[in-house]
Each structure stands twice: as structure tokens, then as C-alpha cells.
Amino acid sequence: MDKRPIGIFDSGLGGLTCIAPIAKALPGERILYFGDTARTPYGSKSRETVCEFALQIADFLVKNDVKMLAIACNTISATAIPLLQESYPEIPVVGIIEPAAAEVAASCSAGNSIGIIATKVTVKTKAYERAIKKHDPSLSVYQMACPAFVPLIEENIIESDIMDSLIRYYLDDFISYHRIDTLVLGCTHYPLIKENILRLYPKLRIINPSDALASAVERSLRENELLSDDTPKESTFFASDISENFIQMVDRIITETDYNIAIRKF
Ligand code: DGL
């Protein structure tokens, strides 16, 4: 049994959408979360900048004695996994894209048309397409970058006509042209607009990769004999800039255990 916390991070508050499934799958684990709210969005930055920021955060979490790194960010998972694995060989580093791709491949067949919506960086790397096709080359995968979603979500502009128009702007032609029937939320901020998407396209099947990340985290802890079945003490949610929206989101998500919110600037 290893009582050290799990380190989970994202460019902002999007990664918080992965906390509930992880906490549900692993109730004995303490969490150290970091959201880089001062520097979000990452998805329109260069690959080099994303890698540099990811290393700074990982370093901070590792210095705080985490027993693994779970990357609740597709943009970082698409760019920085090899770098993080090389930099911290003593702990497991688990990204969100590989487990999500395995789930997509297992639940789709050649008759499906799979759409991936993600940040510009994630789309540019084609990480989802490659990972899904590695499992099943017969699958049809199409990608769409939606860079304006994250700033609006970080501002909590969700239940609004502006958000619905933006969803239509990105998805109307994409869905109809490729006859998309399965949509993968390839950015951890997007589960926060899942209901808007479903309202606009009720026939779509939506895959939220946060469950696949939770299963991968659980598997990795088990395989590495790092599980804890302790009653977790307080989890801590760090942000590089603490906004009201960040505090509200944490409060909404963490209902079962105690937690702290703390600022950490770079
Ligand atoms: N939530 C992140 C992701 O899953 C990145 C959003 C951003 O900072 O652009 O890709």
C-alpha cells in the first residue's frame, strides 16, 4: 500500500472533469491536482511551449511526492508523454489519449464515422487518429480543431447562445459532411459542454475519455503495486491563478472528501 498522492494535471480547470471518475474508481487515493489557469489555453501554443510548461508542472508535483502522474489533458498527452516518461522513470506516467483510443476502437466498427474534436495542438499531432488506427486500421476517423471552446469554458460561458452558436460553427458542416455518428471529446474541457452538444445533435453518440483515464490510472497503480485503500486525507487543488470559476468547479466536483485550494505560480 502506498499512501502518497496521485498527481493529476491540466492546462486549467478542464482536468477537473476527470476527477470524479478517478475518485469513484479509487476512493482510497489522495489527489494533488494542478491546473495552469494563469497560462491556459495550451491548445493554441507551440509544441515546445506545451512541453516546457508540462515539465514545470510535473516537476512541482514530483517534488510534492506524488506516486504517479496522470495527465488529464489531451494537449499535453499528445505532445509530452515521452518527455515526461524519460524525465521521471521512477513513477508511472499515464496519458488520456491511449486509453481513450482503446475504448473508441473497442466500441466502434468500420461502419461508424468517428469524429475527434480537440485543440489545435492535439489535432496537429494526429495522436488520436494514430492511436485509434493502431487498434483497428479499418476505422474512419476525422478530426476538427475547436480552439475557441476552451476560453469560453474557462469563463463559464456555457449555458448561452454564444456557446451554442460556436458549437454549430465548428460542428454543423463537420458532422454532416463526414456523417459523424460517434464524437470523441478530445479535450478535457469539452465534457462541460456535452449537454449543449447533445441538445444540438441528439443522435450523436458521445465518448468522454475521462472514464478511460480513470480505468488506466487504476490499472497502472495495481500493476505497479501502488494502490492505497486508506481513508484519504485532504486532496489539494493547485492553480496558477485562482478564479471564482475554479473554486466553484472544485466545490461542485468534490463532494465526498475534504480538500484545499492553493495557489502556485511559476
Ligand atoms: N484541457 C486540455 C486538453 O484536454 C487543453 C485545453 C487548452 O488549454 O487548450 O487538451
Side-chain angles (χ1 to χ4, degrees), residues 23-41:
K24 190 167 168 225
L26 296 159
E29 303 292 342
R30 195 154 54 90
I31 289 167
L32 280 197
Y33 179 89
F34 186 92
D36 200 358
T37 45
R39 301 190 292 194
T40 197

Side-chain angles (χ1 to χ4, degrees), residues 115-140:
I116 312 289
I117 52 170
T119 65
K120 282 205 267 194
V121 169
T122 304
V123 165
K124 203 166 162 202
T125 64
K126 296 194 173 150
Y128 264 102
E129 197 179 330
R130 277 189 282 111
I132 292 171
K133 291 200 175 209
K134 200 174 69 193
H135 290 280
D136 184 349
S138 76
L139 293 175
S140 302

Side-chain angles (χ1 to χ4, degrees), residues 15-126:
L16 294 172
T17 61
C18 298
I19 298 296
I22 292 175
K24 190 167 168 225
L26 296 159
E29 303 292 342
R30 195 154 54 90
I31 289 167
L32 280 197
Y33 179 89
F34 186 92
D36 200 358
T37 45
R39 301 190 292 194
T40 197
Y42 281 15
S44 302
K45 295 188 167 57
S46 71
R47 206 185 168 115
E48 292 70 32
T49 301
V50 174
C51 285
E52 183 191 328
F53 290 177
L55 265 185
Q56 288 174 348
I57 299 168
D59 207 50
F60 167 70
L61 292 171
V62 168
K63 283 194 177 119
N64 277 277
D65 202 25
V66 296
K67 61 182 170 185
M68 89 175 302
L69 290 170
I71 305 169
C73 175
N74 294 266
T75 306
I76 298 173
S77 299
T79 50
I81 297 251
L83 178 67
L84 293 169
Q85 285 173 337
E86 267 168 40
S87 305
Y88 306 101
E90 64 287 353
I91 54 170
V93 176
V94 175
I96 192 167
I97 294 181
E98 289 292 335
E103 184 196 329
V104 172
S107 65
C108 292
S109 61
N112 289 115
S113 182
I114 304 162
I116 312 289
I117 52 170
T119 65
K120 282 205 267 194
V121 169
T122 304
V123 165
K124 203 166 162 202
T125 64
K126 296 194 173 150

Side-chain angles (χ1 to χ4, degrees), residues 126-188:
K126 296 194 173 150
Y128 264 102
E129 197 179 330
R130 277 189 282 111
I132 292 171
K133 291 200 175 209
K134 200 174 69 193
H135 290 280
D136 184 349
S138 76
L139 293 175
S140 302
V141 182
Y142 305 96
Q143 309 185 97
M144 181 63 160
C146 307
F149 283 163
V150 168
L152 254 65
I153 294 169
E154 288 279 334
E155 289 299 331
N156 199 18
I157 302 175
I158 292 175
E159 292 303 324
S160 70
D161 292 343
I162 303 173
M163 180 55 89
D164 286 356
S165 309
L166 194 61
I167 293 171
R168 277 199 216 98
Y169 168 77
Y170 284 129
L171 299 189
D172 266 1
D173 290 350
F174 177 63
I175 288 174
S176 63
Y177 185 77
H178 296 295
R179 297 176 192 277
I180 302 293
D181 55 31
T182 304
L183 191 73
V184 180
L185 305 179
C187 169
T188 52

Side-chain angles (χ1 to χ4, degrees), residues 247-263:
I247 296 170
Q248 281 170 2
M249 277 276 296
V250 175
D251 200 47
R252 210 180 321 147
I253 285 163
I254 310 297
T255 48
E256 307 280 312
T257 52
D258 291 337
Y259 65 84
N260 296 307
I261 292 182
I263 191 156

